[in-house]
Amino acid sequence: MLTLFPELFDPFWNHGMIRRAVQMGRLIPLTVPIRDHARGRHQVTDDRPYGGGAGMVMKPEPLAAALARARSEMAAATTVLLSPQGRPFNQELAQSLVSVPELLLVCGRYEGVDERFIDRHVDLEVSIGDFVLTGGELGAMVVIDAVARLIPGVLGNPDSTACDTFSDGLVEHAHYTRPPVFEGRAVPEVLLSGDHRAIDRWRRETALMRTVLKRPDLLAERDLGPEERTILEQWRRNMERLLE
Ligand code: 9D3
């Protein structure tokens, strides 16, 4: 991890799943402060853009020196720059990053990073979405969090990554726990029935309906299975009956 704000990562490395990945030796909580690798009395890390314009650009030399320091601990690492121009991060990219042996994340700040550093040292640019952040640090935490939980053994229950939201293209069914009645609202009866086939069917059906209501874009990108067709046709018949 290369950053101008290493202190942002201190609590991050020390909690929950991330700490477990660190303890397992699968995540190195190494934060290289880019500023420590800047030369001169003022340790300047940014400068004005050639050609003019607003904002500042991250100088390439401190980044390259900080990267060399990080590479002394992870020689063969793939370098990932967090940047608004990057490939949009999603579960599929998280899945493919978890099988890369070593990842080294670089957080930019200011308006951008000198392109020559990117050309020479960056293997992949990743964005966490189409909105503007003040720097790459939160992006790096998002990527680390999403990838770390896919490392075998980091999550207590390996099943919980198998049916992640989006990995089968639907949002999840609703979840309930005790008490059986909360603020006058009961838990759906089927969940208390002990009938596991009925529960499974209810979950698949409501997952599909919740996707229709909350994330119709997910369904537009994928084909319906035969059971899903049946469920939607059933709903259509119910709607038609209501309209009559
Ligand atoms: C006006 C041009 N801006 C590009 C959209 C300049 C600019 C704004 C913010 C350049 C860099 C940044 C800092 N952002 C990140 O470093 C960043 C980011 C983001 O802003 N959005 C989504 N994902 C990411 S990952 C890193």
Side-chain angles (χ1 to χ4, degrees):
M1 168 70 40
L2 267 56
T3 174
L4 284 166
F5 297 99
E7 61 287 351
L8 288 179
F9 288 87
D10 295 341
F12 180 68
W13 302 127
N14 279 307
H15 289 283
M17 237 172 41
I18 300 298
R19 179 159 68 184
R20 186 142 68 230
V22 170
Q23 284 164 348
M24 288 170 60
R26 292 293 311 264
L27 185 60
I28 304 174
L30 169 73
T31 346
V32 180
I34 296 166
R35 202 176 162 82
D36 287 1
H37 296 270
R39 304 294 207 95
R41 196 160 65 85
H42 297 292
Q43 297 196 293
V44 175
T45 56
D46 62 331
D47 203 342
R48 302 199 318 274
Y50 276 122
M56 299 293 270
V57 176
M58 282 180 87
K59 292 165 66 61
E61 312 96 305
L63 280 167
L67 185 65
R69 162 72 184 82
R71 280 212 182 278
S72 68
E73 314 223 353
M74 19 190 354
T78 297
T79 310
V80 178
L81 174 69
L82 282 303
S83 123
Q85 287 89 49
R87 176 164 156 194
F89 189 64
N90 58 19
Q91 193 61 28
E92 186 190 344
L93 185 51
Q95 288 284 1
S96 70
L97 291 180
V98 74
S99 49
V100 176
E102 291 185 312
L103 292 174
L104 213 163
L105 275 57
V106 181
C107 307
R109 280 265 157 176
Y110 317 119
E111 286 301 290
V113 172
D114 188 291
E115 194 69 18
R116 294 163 297 178
F117 173 80
I118 302 174
D119 289 344
R120 291 277 291 168
H121 296 293
V122 171
D123 300 307
L124 173 68
E125 286 181 79
V126 172
S127 160
I128 62 161
D130 292 339
F131 39 79
V132 183
L133 302 172
T134 57
E137 284 76 10
L138 286 170
M141 291 184 210
V142 166
V143 170
I144 294 167
D145 193 84
V147 173
R149 68 183 284 285
L150 297 176
I151 298 170
V154 165
L155 273 191
N157 177 4
D159 287 353
S160 30
T161 62
C163 61
D164 278 348
T165 304
F166 310 133
S167 59
D168 67 351
L170 296 179
V171 308
E172 283 181 356
H173 60 76
H175 301 277
Y176 297 90
T177 186
R178 290 187 290 181
V181 180
F182 170 68
E183 296 185 353
R185 312 257 303 155
V187 172
E189 216 168 317
V190 61
L191 298 179
L192 310 176
S193 69
D195 180 345
H196 294 290
R197 285 175 50 117
I199 291 171
D200 269 0
R201 191 181 148 77
W202 178 87
R203 286 183 168 166
R204 287 199 303 275
E205 180 172 339
T206 55
L208 181 60
M209 296 322 296
R210 284 156 63 88
T211 310
V212 170
L213 294 171
K214 294 171 187 256
R215 291 295 307 274
D217 58 300
L218 293 178
L219 290 174
E221 288 167 27
R222 114 198 222 296
D223 293 326
L224 295 171
E227 186 196 30
E228 292 166 350
R229 280 196 169 277
T230 311
I231 293 167
L232 288 176
E233 276 157 10
Q234 184 76 54
W235 269 86
R236 178 167 60 190
R237 277 194 294 277
N238 291 341
M239 301 284 171
E240 281 164 357
R241 201 166 314 131
L242 281 172
L243 285 166
E244 274 158 20

